[in-house]
Amino acid sequence: MNELSVSRQDDTRDGRKPPSLEAVYDTLRGIARRERSRNPSSTINTTVLVHEAWLKLEQGRGEWNDARHCRATYAMAIRRILVDHARARAALKRTQNDDFLVFENERCHSGTAEEIMAVDHALSELERVDERLVRLVELRFFVGLTNEEASESLGISARTGARDWKRARAFLQAVLE
Amino acid sequence: MRIDAETWSRVTTLFDRLVDLDPETRARELARIKVEADVRQWLNRLLDAHDQPDEMVIDRTLNGVVNGLAETARSAEPYPLPGPGERLGPWLLVAELGRGGMGSVMRGERADGRYDQTVAVKLLQPSAYGEIDREAMANEIRLLARLEHPGIVRLIEGGITPDGLPYLVMEHVSGEPIDQWCNRLNATLQTRIALIRQVAAALSHAHSRLVIHADIKPSNVLVSDDGRVRLVDFGIAGRLQERADMQLPSMLRCSPAWCAPEQLQGSPPDVAQDVFGLGALLLRLLTGDRVRNGDRITRFLTGTPLVDHPPAPPSSRALDGLSAREIRGSLDAICSAALAADPGARFSSVEALDSELERWQRHEPVRSASLGRPARFALWFRRNRVPALAGAVAGLAMIVGTSAALWQAEQADTAAGHARAQAERADTIKEFLLAMFKTADPWLAGGSELDIRDVLVRGARQAETDESLDAATRVEVLTTLGDVQIALGWHDDARRMFDQAEIALDTHPDLPSELRGRLWLERAVLEGQRNDHRAREAALDRARALLPPADQAVGRTLHARVWSQYASLFATENRYADALAAFERLQQLLDAPGEPLPDLRRNLLSARAILASNRGELDEAYAAMQAERELQIQTGNAGHATMIRTLSNLAAVAAQMGRLDEALAHDEKAAALAREVYPPGHPAAARAFYALGDTLRQRGRYDEALALLDEARAIQVEAMVDAERALTDMVRARTMLALGNGAGAAEVAASARRTLEPLWGETARTNIQALEFELLGHALAENPVALERVASIARVRLDTLESPARWQPLAQMLRWRLARIRFDNADRSSARGLLEDAGRAPDDVSRHPSITLRLLGLTALLDGLDGNDIDARIMAEIEDPAANDDSRAYALCALITVRVGQGDGAEDLQQQLDAVARSSTLSHEGRTDATCPSAVRLASGQG
């Protein structure tokens, strides 16, 4: 009998539990803090940040490409953190998310924090009726994945993802006007 | 205003349906549908929101937004472009090659190391452009990526990163700007002219694909080590820059030292600009001068009126080492004509300039007559009646090998494809299309982006409304435009174009029926591209009835094309008698005097080969395909595209014969060639991967197979070639079955069947096979409800099949599968009934040893071995190299089970079975059979 190599189809095969949202928050913050202390004026890149957090938490078990179902959790976490930070900026308060000096970037338009908050509010509305669209927006906008990557994370085809994106965009545009 | 889930669901379903319709159709649909007020209100809100042209914050990524990409015009600081060591999609940036105000160029490699490819990645500064229409840019890039010419540095891909940075990936070419190269090597006059002619050839290719360079200057014309000219940077940077704020005079959209004067005023790209560019290069190589010096440029920038004095003739300022005498006269005249300030006074095409240079090379006098005014659209039509469809756009052919490996015979037999061989002849249609660019029409002058698709559609509208056109010409123009659209892959546009042509025909009943015949021929080609066999045949039938007699030249060609299409169609559908008749007719036409028609000859060979392989006459098929390959090599017509298809076909037949090593070699070659030749995302490359994936599957390399098949599928989904995607799904399903993933396989096979049944009919072979996959899949997944549902469909299908299709191997396989399932569920009588059905196959029908083995094995289990010669027959079939190991395992296990059940020994058989069990090409089912659980149960007394 010859050895079978593992099928690529089945990505829930080792029954790995995704990390909790709390764990992800902590990890993301930790990374941002370290980055800030090393390089005070560095610009943030959420895609890289999420990838590093994943590496840390999953400790390299399996391939990033296979951990499709976990990515949505990270996207949610990033969104929460950044929105929280935006809110704080708008109110000129300090929070535990200050290491994410996202909006302090000189190139960042001054109204961006408010824009992000508005987007977040609209997403919360959308989440009541269509959760998948919101996850998609998180993955594409907050984390910076392409349509293909985001669709894969959600277990849908790229075509469905593109269609969903149109819907999400239209909703947000309609609501944010 | 809040929305609830149910309303949302209804709104979005309607939204999907309406969002991509054109305004008129959408308005009509909106008026038609009946919905509640709040649904309608939300629907309108969403549609209006979608129509807004402005970019939204979420159109970039957060990274992009916070790094100022949303405020492009205002950010004065250069954006930190990605640098060495960073990734950009599938590419890894390695080193910086150059940097300018507009952006930087990096050398890159493939990040996954999958194969060796060095590229040049051009990254553009966000401040260099304004808002970009992403879809339009993607379309443009796709079109530019189709430029394939030795003189053009290929654009591999391009796009916008999720963060919002535009980038271009091109072939990396080490070369030197043409002027530096000439100076460094002290090139002779002859060499310089020869190089300019190379540039002209490359531009001609681009123009035939309706692409203008618009930025020709020495730094964009490189000469590589082997002395070959390579053009870079086809207009994309220019196009992007056009979007920049037109009110800022400092934002020049071209290189002021080199560009045509009208470009400085903001004219959109035009052939005349490239003619000027060639002239500018020529001037540089002859005199070392630029078209405009610094003083003129300053005058432009400061708004001082610009007067273009005619430059002094090159011979009066020739470079040292070049003979003024040889330049004087002809080359002076050519230069001055190319550099005329009025675009209308220049050469009308780069080919015209090139032929003048050729005359100079041959010491013939140049013709001043070729320096004419370009024809206006209508004027041109009055003078030149659009000729027969053969002779259409040269070089515009996309030689698309339709569908994968075995199932179809020929390339896109469009008139455009046909005309590829006639490139030397007057390209009247090409000129017509280019003439559309040249007319000073309001819609062109607006500075809008040159969208080729748009040009074609508007050209049609123009053809319709131009009153100076006679009806016959109008019909021919529309038909030809449709033909071009097929070649470029815009099937819906083509269909609409043909519909318009038909309307024109209907309103003028006195037009010759031949025009309608040609139209139907083109429709048939379109349906062929869509793999809709039934529609294709219907169209061909209509075309045939309307054509002029075949005894004249034009008639002969048209009839030959029709019969070539029939030949491919019948061969693919395995309609033996029809196919033979078509072959004979086509051969007659080809043998009659007239044009050689080499493409049709090749199609005939392909069709023969496909028919032979579909009938199981594998040796014949293989021989015919080898012959086709030889012919291709001989005629030097190794348009690699067609070689890829031939290799894939060879591989498929070899695999059927059990010659798996050969198959693998051919497929690997084909796939490698496809990666080389086609840009990523091209459906033809997907076909090659599909073929290789299937061969790997047959070798038992399932994971590699799946990886490749997934890649192919992704391309096919993106390119929206549904039939091909379905075929890929079939192989994926089969591979999943091999891995034991029954549920997945059943779903994928069902999806494939859903796509193909409307196109190919419910009883087409592939759809029969899909049913078999679904049955096995549901059986593996232990899903009896789904199993029964598919089983009843299968029975109905099998009953509707008529001879000889009724006894084809795949139909027999389906019968066997049903029978096995029944037998395994202890329903012996149903199993027996099915086997009896199978046994009614006439003797002359083709058989495959794998299926014979399975049928015999099951018969043995049902009837035992006494009084028949089943075991001898099984042992004979096992020896056939074309039998697969799965079927061997099944048959041997059946024999062993019967022997053990009778209390007889089975040592010899067991040994054989053990040998098969060690095979690496067993599927999940095969491996189970190889352990022969039925015999084990019997032996341990469980019966």
Side-chain angles (χ1 to χ4, degrees):
Chain A
M1 277 277 238
N2 54 329
E3 290 302 315
L4 240 197
S5 30
V6 178
S7 155
R8 285 166 85 96
Q9 296 293 305
D10 181 10
D11 62 359
T12 55
R13 61 186 178 282
D14 64 341
R16 179 173 56 191
K17 276 200 337 233
S20 71
L21 212 52
E22 278 306 315
V24 176
Y25 284 149
D26 287 338
T27 311
L28 286 168
R29 284 195 202 104
I31 296 175
R33 198 179 322 129
R34 251 200 329 275
E35 186 55 34
R36 181 70 50 228
S37 62
R38 252 205 312 242
N39 191 351
S41 61
S42 71
T43 54
I44 199 153
N45 182 314
T46 55
T47 325
V48 170
L49 193 59
V50 167
H51 187 212
E52 287 191 14
W54 179 86
L55 279 174
K56 190 162 170 45
L57 278 172
E58 306 291 315
Q59 281 159 358
R61 250 178 303 173
E63 282 294 309
W64 172 240
N65 285 329
D66 283 347
R68 301 187 262 260
H69 56 284
C70 296
R71 284 192 201 160
T73 314
Y74 291 87
M76 278 198 280
I78 270 277
R79 171 184 160 199
R80 289 274 150 266
I81 289 176
L82 290 172
V83 168
D84 186 64
H85 179 57
R87 221 171 264 136
R89 291 313 305 151
L92 299 175
K93 289 212 199 101
R94 296 190 58 83
T95 66
Q96 57 183 334
N97 290 321
D98 279 351
D99 290 317
F100 291 85
L101 289 174
V102 174
F103 306 107
E104 281 60 27
N105 190 327
E106 281 164 0
R107 293 189 192 85
C108 187
H109 183 210
S110 62
T112 304
E114 281 80 4
E115 266 187 310
I116 299 300
M117 283 165 58
V119 168
D120 176 68
H121 183 76
L123 286 176
S124 306
E125 282 293 306
L126 184 56
E127 196 153 2
R128 289 173 46 250
V129 294
D130 198 332
E131 212 203 300
R132 190 173 78 196
L133 290 195
V134 173
R135 296 287 90 79
L136 183 66
V137 174
E138 283 171 352
L139 287 162
R140 283 187 64 166
F141 178 67
F142 285 93
V143 180
L145 300 182
T146 63
N147 179 47
E148 284 69 29
E149 291 167 339
S151 301
E152 241 197 332
S153 302
L154 295 171
I156 57 179
S157 71
R159 205 169 181 178
T160 307
R163 182 205 69 190
D164 278 1
W165 183 248
K166 266 194 211 153
R167 294 178 176 184
R169 257 191 108 252
F171 178 86
L172 288 172
Q173 181 89 301
V175 159
L176 288 174
E177 277 170 351
Chain B
M1 179 182 142
R2 306 209 112 184
I3 187 171
D4 65 76
E6 214 221 292
T7 311
W8 176 250
S9 163
R10 301 186 49 212
V11 168
T12 50
T13 314
L14 289 168
F15 176 79
D16 287 346
R17 239 189 24 222
L18 298 173
V19 69
D20 289 324
L21 297 175
D22 64 87
E24 288 171 32
T25 320
R26 198 204 271 178
R28 253 204 324 261
E29 286 296 311
L30 265 174
R32 227 168 41 92
I33 54 177
K34 291 186 181 25
V35 284
E36 298 81 351
D38 54 350
V39 171
R40 188 178 284 277
Q41 197 176 22
W42 266 103
L43 182 59
N44 282 328
R45 276 183 81 183
L46 286 190
L47 287 171
D48 286 341
H50 179 266
D51 289 340
Q52 294 272 12
D54 305 324
E55 230 188 28
M56 275 197 73
V57 63
I58 64 163
D59 284 325
R60 308 233 191 233
T61 62
L62 185 81
N63 296 321
V65 169
V66 303
N67 282 305
L69 285 176
E71 297 293 324
T72 52
R74 278 180 242 171
S75 74
E77 280 182 47
Y79 180 82
L81 296 173
E86 289 187 50
R87 273 189 66 148
L88 197 77
W91 310 102
L92 175 67
L93 303 177
V94 173
E96 192 178 285
L97 291 174
R99 177 180 284 276
M102 290 304 184
S104 66
V105 182
M106 309 282 304
R107 194 176 79 235
E109 292 167 354
R110 276 196 75 99
D112 56 13
R114 225 188 243 174
Y115 47 91
D116 271 333
Q117 195 176 19
T118 311
V119 295
V121 180
K122 184 160 182 170
L123 296 152
L124 300 163
Q125 274 291 338
S127 54
Y129 57 86
E131 300 288 297
I132 314 174
D133 180 349
R134 261 186 211 138
E135 203 183 303
M137 180 173 175
N139 276 335
E140 284 285 332
I141 290 176
R142 254 196 292 274
L143 285 161
L144 286 171
R146 287 178 185 178
L147 287 177
E148 281 181 48
H149 188 273
I152 297 178
V153 168
R154 254 188 41 222
L155 174 66
I156 295 173
E157 64 154 335
I160 306 182
T161 68
D163 292 345
L165 277 182
Y167 69 96
L168 301 169
V169 180
M170 303 167 285
E171 230 185 303
H172 177 262
V173 152
S174 57
E176 215 177 338
I178 190 173
D179 52 354
Q180 282 176 30
W181 189 91
C182 284
N183 288 340
R184 182 169 60 82
L185 297 174
N186 285 320
T188 63
L189 185 57
Q190 278 69 19
T191 308
R192 290 170 195 247
I193 298 300
L195 287 176
I196 295 285
R197 289 198 64 201
Q198 281 191 38
V199 178
L203 283 173
S204 171
H205 170 88
H207 292 176
S208 73
R209 303 226 162 167
L210 312 178
V211 177
I212 314 282
H213 190 293
D215 193 15
I216 299 178
K217 52 185 177 177
S219 55
N220 279 343
V221 181
L222 303 179
V223 183
S224 52
D225 302 324
D226 55 358
R228 245 225 145 277
V229 154
R230 313 294 304 273
L231 291 188
V232 300
D233 249 5
F234 264 78
I236 271 231
R239 296 213 209 308
L240 289 181
Q241 286 165 5
E242 264 168 53
R243 298 289 200 162
D245 194 339
M246 307 254 284
Q247 280 130 31
L248 294 177
S250 57
M251 288 276 220
L252 288 176
R253 279 165 277 110
C254 56
S255 315
W258 302 101
C259 64
E262 67 271 19
Q263 276 177 285
L264 295 173
Q265 319 291 350
S267 280
D270 184 290
V271 163
Q273 290 171 14
D274 278 353
V275 171
F276 188 96
L278 261 186
L281 275 184
L282 187 55
L283 184 69
R284 175 73 164 173
L285 293 189
L286 294 178
T287 67
D289 288 337
R290 295 187 175 81
V291 166
R292 244 166 256 113
N293 58 21
D295 156 55
R296 293 192 119 97
I297 297 172
T298 313
R299 268 199 261 152
F300 177 76
L301 287 174
T302 56
T304 320
L306 189 69
V307 177
D308 254 342
H309 301 294
S315 53
S316 66
R317 36 179 175 141
L319 283 170
D320 289 338
L322 295 183
S323 152
R325 189 175 47 82
E326 285 182 67
I327 297 175
R328 195 172 307 128
S330 306
L331 287 177
D332 276 347
I334 292 173
C335 236
S336 120
L339 294 173
D342 171 15
R346 297 174 204 151
F347 293 102
S348 57
S349 66
V350 298
E351 292 82 5
L353 198 164
D354 183 57
S355 20
E356 293 290 83
L357 289 175
E358 192 187 14
R359 274 182 212 102
W360 178 88
Q361 282 178 326
R362 294 207 291 240
H363 305 288
E364 289 168 22
V366 300
R367 293 198 304 204
S368 54
S370 50
L371 316 177
R373 298 166 61 79
R376 280 189 63 93
F377 191 89
L379 199 64
W380 181 86
F381 268 116
R382 266 181 237 120
R383 284 187 305 153
N384 303 284
R385 188 189 149 122
V386 173
L389 292 175
V393 186
L396 200 64
M398 298 279 295
I399 306 293
V400 182
T402 50
S403 187
L406 280 189
W407 312 123
Q408 282 210 23
E410 96 291 27
Q411 64 202 29
D413 186 20
T414 61
H418 214 58
R420 219 170 61 97
Q422 301 168 25
E424 271 65 44
R425 303 230 316 237
D427 305 320
T428 11
I429 301 295
K430 182 186 84 174
E431 277 190 46
F432 141 62
L433 289 172
L434 293 180
M436 286 198 294
F437 294 168
K438 288 199 258 198
T439 54
D441 244 88
W443 55 267
L444 266 186
S448 60
E449 211 168 29
L450 202 62
D451 185 326
I452 291 164
R453 192 169 182 174
D454 230 32
V455 165
L456 290 172
V457 169
R458 291 185 208 227
R461 216 173 286 159
Q462 186 116 11
E464 290 206 302
T465 55
D466 190 325
E467 306 202 325
S468 60
L469 287 188
D470 62 274
T473 308
R474 188 165 306 152
V475 169
E476 291 195 63
V477 167
L478 290 171
T479 312
T480 309
L481 284 177
D483 183 42
V484 172
Q485 283 165 330
I486 298 178
L488 289 172
W490 297 315
H491 297 163
D492 289 328
D493 286 356
R495 191 188 298 283
R496 257 176 261 137
M497 200 68 70
F498 294 150
D499 289 342
Q500 279 177 274
E502 193 157 2
I503 292 174
L505 279 168
D506 289 339
T507 45
H508 293 94
D510 51 320
L511 289 174
S513 59
E514 163 190 328
L515 287 177
R516 199 180 284 267
R518 277 189 208 141
L519 179 60
W520 278 108
L521 178 54
E522 292 307 319
R523 279 199 197 274
V525 170
L526 177 61
E527 301 306 343
Q529 288 289 76
R530 293 183 57 250
N531 287 307
D532 189 340
H533 298 174
R534 293 192 273 210
R536 188 182 186 193
E537 189 172 356
L540 282 173
D541 289 341
R542 293 191 67 164
R544 187 155 56 110
L546 295 164
L547 293 179
D551 47 3
Q552 288 133 21
V554 163
R556 170 179 170 265
T557 306
L558 289 172
H559 277 272
R561 285 186 60 207
V562 165
W563 281 105
S564 165
Q565 295 265 331
Y566 272 128
S568 306
L569 178 63
F570 294 148
T572 306
E573 293 196 300
N574 202 14
R575 287 157 62 174
Y576 187 59
D578 291 335
L580 284 190
F583 294 163
E584 209 185 298
R585 188 78 190 96
L586 179 57
Q587 189 70 59
Q588 268 175 16
L589 288 161
L590 288 172
D591 289 339
E595 291 172 42
L597 304 172
D599 289 345
L600 298 183
R601 244 172 247 287
R602 276 198 36 250
N603 278 355
L604 180 52
L605 269 179
S606 292
R608 282 196 203 278
I610 301 298
L611 182 68
S613 76
N614 282 346
R615 289 172 52 79
E617 292 155 11
L618 301 176
D619 290 310
E620 282 190 33
Y622 200 73
M625 284 173 190
Q626 290 278 39
E628 184 189 340
R629 183 190 188 191
E630 283 314 310
L631 184 61
Q632 270 172 262
I633 296 176
Q634 265 172 38
T635 57
N637 182 23
H640 295 280
T642 43
M643 186 57 85
I644 293 172
R645 203 197 62 240
T646 309
L647 286 169
S648 290
N649 283 347
L650 271 170
V653 174
Q656 281 215 325
M657 293 160 88
R659 286 148 65 165
L660 294 181
D661 288 327
E662 261 182 75
L664 193 58
H666 288 311
D667 271 328
E668 281 175 341
K669 222 177 292 179
L673 204 51
R675 278 199 207 279
E676 231 178 82
V677 165
Y678 290 112
H682 198 294
R687 280 190 284 279
F689 302 155
Y690 155 92
L692 180 54
D694 196 26
T695 309
L696 287 170
R697 175 195 62 82
Q698 289 179 300
R699 298 299 299 274
R701 290 155 65 172
Y702 300 127
D703 291 313
E704 288 176 67
L706 268 182
L708 215 43
L709 291 166
D710 287 345
E711 191 182 344
R713 186 181 198 273
I715 293 172
Q716 289 161 339
V717 164
E718 187 65 35
M720 297 199 272
V721 285
D722 291 330
E724 300 183 30
R725 188 222 45 181
L727 287 175
T728 303
D729 274 340
M730 285 294 288
V731 182
R732 283 177 72 228
R734 202 163 180 183
T735 313
M736 289 188 215
L737 286 174
L739 290 168
N741 180 358
E747 196 188 305
V748 170
S751 149
R753 191 161 59 87
R754 268 197 303 276
T755 304
L756 292 175
E757 277 179 353
L759 290 177
W760 295 359
E762 290 169 347
T763 51
R765 258 167 331 166
T766 313
N767 295 326
I768 298 291
Q769 191 177 37
L771 286 168
E772 196 255 312
F773 291 168
E774 286 175 69
L775 284 174
L776 177 55
H778 290 310
L780 281 176
E782 294 177 11
N783 189 342
V785 172
L787 187 69
E788 280 313 313
R789 185 177 44 82
V790 177
S792 45
I793 299 175
R795 296 232 52 170
V796 168
R797 295 276 185 278
L798 284 170
D799 283 334
T800 49
L801 286 173
E802 287 175 7
S803 195
R806 199 178 177 85
W807 316 114
Q808 293 291 332
L810 288 175
Q812 296 288 62
M813 181 72 181
L814 184 57
R815 282 191 187 91
W816 173 82
R817 174 64 61 199
L818 277 167
R820 177 177 193 174
I821 289 173
R822 297 295 177 228
F823 180 81
D824 287 347
N825 286 330
D827 182 356
R828 296 175 77 104
S829 59
S830 293
R832 184 167 279 119
L834 284 154
L835 279 184
E836 274 166 14
D837 257 347
R840 290 198 194 94
D843 290 328
D844 60 349
V845 90
S846 71
R847 295 173 150 79
H848 198 282
S850 299
I851 297 174
T852 310
L853 276 171
R854 294 183 205 267
L855 289 169
L856 287 172
L858 188 53
T859 311
L861 287 170
L862 277 172
D863 294 343
L865 295 170
D866 293 331
N868 61 38
D869 58 348
I870 292 186
D871 51 5
R873 285 163 69 190
I874 288 182
M875 299 320 289
E877 289 287 344
I878 280 188
E879 298 304 318
D880 190 327
N884 61 34
D885 286 330
D886 280 352
S887 57
R888 289 196 182 107
Y890 179 77
L892 284 168
C893 172
L895 282 180
I896 293 173
T897 306
V898 173
R899 290 261 195 97
V900 170
Q902 290 173 338
D904 292 335
E907 297 297 314
D908 50 335
L909 294 172
Q910 188 61 52
Q911 272 186 346
Q912 264 192 294
L913 184 57
D914 289 338
V916 172
R918 286 192 288 274
S919 156
S920 57
T921 65
L922 284 175
S923 73
H924 181 271
E925 188 185 22
R927 270 192 307 277
T928 312
D929 287 337
T931 60
C932 210
S934 47
V936 170
R937 272 200 302 274
L938 277 180
S940 59
Q942 286 164 22

